[in-house]
Amino acid sequence: MLQLASLGIVLYAFWILLSGYFEPFLLGAGAGSALVVVLLARRMKIVDREGHPIQMIAAVVLYWPWLFKEIAKCAWEVSRIILDPRLPISPVLVRFKPSQKSQVGLATHANSITLTPGTITVEAAHNEFLVHGLTRASGAGVIDSEMDRRVTRVEGYR
Amino acid sequence: MSAALDILSWFCLVAGGAFCAIGALGLVRMPDFYTRMHAASITDTVGAGLMLLGMMLQAGFTLVTVKLVMIGLLLLFASPTATHALAKAALARGLKPLLAAGDDPSKP
Amino acid sequence: MYAAGAIALLVALGLALARAVLGPTVFDRLQAANTIGTLAMLMLAVLGFLTGRPEFLDLALVYGLLNVVGTIAVLKFFRYGDLGNPGEDAEQNT
């Protein structure tokens, strides 16, 4: 119920911010559209703790600055590899077991790995991630990483 | 708008453009499909992020900035999903990645 | 200064287009198409600032959404040969 209300509010805010007009007709149409989407989402049963994880918002917002710092660091390294005339790559495929339990935690972890340049999650399952790394160091860096611990902390936050 | 903010936003725009171009250069230079994806992810994250940041600094606290933030969030959530889907589909189709010689660092 | 950003984006677009033409597999082309979509989105935003018409940002947002949906749809088609296929993850996640 809390999730449905939150979804409706987010959708209505999205409508208002996109339109930028404040006429009664457009405000009403926005409310109607948001309501229809919320009802459809409820009918599809995709709004629950996994599909609309409002319990994670505070922890995720705290996690983002660290993720951005990590992305900047890795992007700098990969840029140097691309601009290097010798192209010093040593691609590896790495398998490892992530420590998250819920689907939303696993998705956050997999997306974080893919967002970081130099590593891409190729397969993400409950007990095993398959990660492609651009260099041996970046591939080995995802196993039992700090990212893993931080995402688990975000997931466990209540 | 103050001059310091202007200079900062120009720096962000130029650096973002440079990272986009580097990512695209990597897309051409890299030897196989999986390594090309790493180059493309530079364009998607750092290049796009810095350009959007530069434009946000120019726009100030307006509705334009809100829309730029929405574009940034869309990239943040959608681009890794598309990349992952692409990599998974390629592996499932049997496209073998080019691997460096040496032992496997995997940990079961 | 927006012009410098726009020129850098044009160079990047040209390089991505080269990859899309060179191939060699369909996934390379899809990756190039995805990159071109991201770059076009940024280009629309920069053009909006360059010409002083922020309405272009709405176009950029819609283009970004279409880009994601398009990539996933084409991928699904090449993976299963059918857009209505539920995929192999459907039963194990319910």
Side-chain angles (χ1 to χ4, degrees):
Chain A
M1 201 53 233
L2 200 60
Q3 271 95 357
L4 282 175
S6 142
L7 180 67
I9 290 167
V10 169
L11 284 173
Y12 195 40
F14 186 62
W15 171 285
I16 289 175
L17 289 173
L18 270 188
S19 84
Y21 291 103
F22 294 96
E23 294 159 25
F25 170 71
L26 285 173
L27 288 179
S33 310
L35 195 66
V36 167
V37 173
V38 168
L39 287 178
L40 281 178
R42 200 181 72 143
R43 208 174 121 81
M44 287 166 76
K45 295 190 174 61
I46 53 172
V47 184
D48 49 14
R49 288 179 73 84
E50 297 277 343
H52 191 68
I54 47 176
Q55 75 276 9
M56 275 171 62
I57 286 177
V60 160
V61 168
L62 289 175
Y63 168 67
W64 275 349
W66 181 82
L67 180 65
F68 291 156
K69 193 195 81 197
E70 206 68 7
I71 288 174
K73 215 163 61 188
C74 294
W76 180 247
E77 282 166 21
V78 177
S79 301
R80 278 179 53 185
I81 290 174
I82 290 175
L83 291 177
D84 194 317
R86 288 177 295 114
L87 209 63
I89 56 170
S90 51
V92 281
L93 273 178
V94 181
R95 277 179 199 283
F96 74 106
K97 189 172 161 28
S99 63
Q100 287 78 33
K101 295 282 177 297
S102 64
Q103 300 231 351
V104 59
L106 288 168
T108 310
H109 190 194
N111 267 3
S112 303
I113 289 176
T114 311
L115 264 180
T116 325
T119 47
I120 285 174
T121 320
V122 183
E123 265 166 30
H126 273 290
N127 44 16
E128 194 179 67
F129 277 10
L130 181 61
V131 174
H132 185 273
L134 184 60
T135 63
R136 183 162 293 274
S138 66
V142 297
I143 301 172
D144 296 337
S145 58
E146 195 186 347
M147 184 181 283
D148 193 4
R149 285 194 293 282
R150 280 180 184 259
V151 175
T152 306
R153 215 181 305 154
V154 168
E155 181 195 23
Y157 189 87
R158 290 289 180 268
Chain B
M1 191 177 290
S2 68
L5 213 60
D6 254 0
I7 291 170
L8 191 64
S9 85
W10 288 351
F11 172 77
C12 282
L13 272 169
V14 172
F19 272 113
C20 280
I22 289 172
L25 180 69
L27 204 61
V28 173
R29 278 198 74 191
M30 288 294 185
D32 87 318
F33 168 68
Y34 295 93
T35 47
R36 277 173 209 140
M37 306 192 87
H38 296 295
S41 82
I42 288 189
T43 307
D44 279 355
T45 55
V46 186
L50 278 177
M51 291 205 90
L52 290 174
L53 188 64
M55 285 186 263
M56 275 178 221
L57 290 175
Q58 284 285 332
F61 287 102
T62 53
L63 217 55
V64 173
T65 304
V66 176
K67 282 178 190 166
L68 286 169
V69 170
M70 279 177 195
I71 294 179
L73 281 178
L74 173 71
L75 273 178
L76 188 67
F77 282 104
S79 90
T81 316
T83 308
H84 165 71
L86 208 54
K88 193 174 176 184
L91 199 74
R93 250 307 182 73
L95 191 66
K96 290 273 177 292
L98 190 74
L99 293 180
D103 54 335
D104 189 8
S106 298
K107 197 177 121 180
Chain C
M1 194 43 59
Y2 294 124
I7 290 168
L9 282 176
L10 278 178
V11 171
L13 272 169
L15 288 167
L17 196 62
R19 176 46 68 201
V21 171
L22 287 174
T25 64
V26 66
F27 298 107
D28 285 295
R29 293 177 213 271
L30 269 176
Q31 175 67 70
N34 198 8
T35 305
I36 289 174
T38 309
L39 289 172
M41 192 161 111
L42 288 172
M43 192 77 197
L44 278 170
V46 172
L47 267 184
F49 274 82
L50 198 62
T51 54
R53 290 173 65 190
E55 302 87 39
F56 271 99
L57 281 176
D58 297 334
L59 301 185
L61 205 54
V62 171
Y63 200 96
L65 286 167
L66 280 178
N67 182 32
V68 176
V69 176
T71 306
I72 303 282
V74 175
L75 261 180
K76 197 169 176 188
F77 185 75
F78 275 105
R79 182 84 183 275
Y80 304 110
D82 173 21
L83 288 179
N85 196 306
E88 83 258 31
D89 294 340
E91 57 276 4
Q92 75 192 44
N93 286 345
T94 47

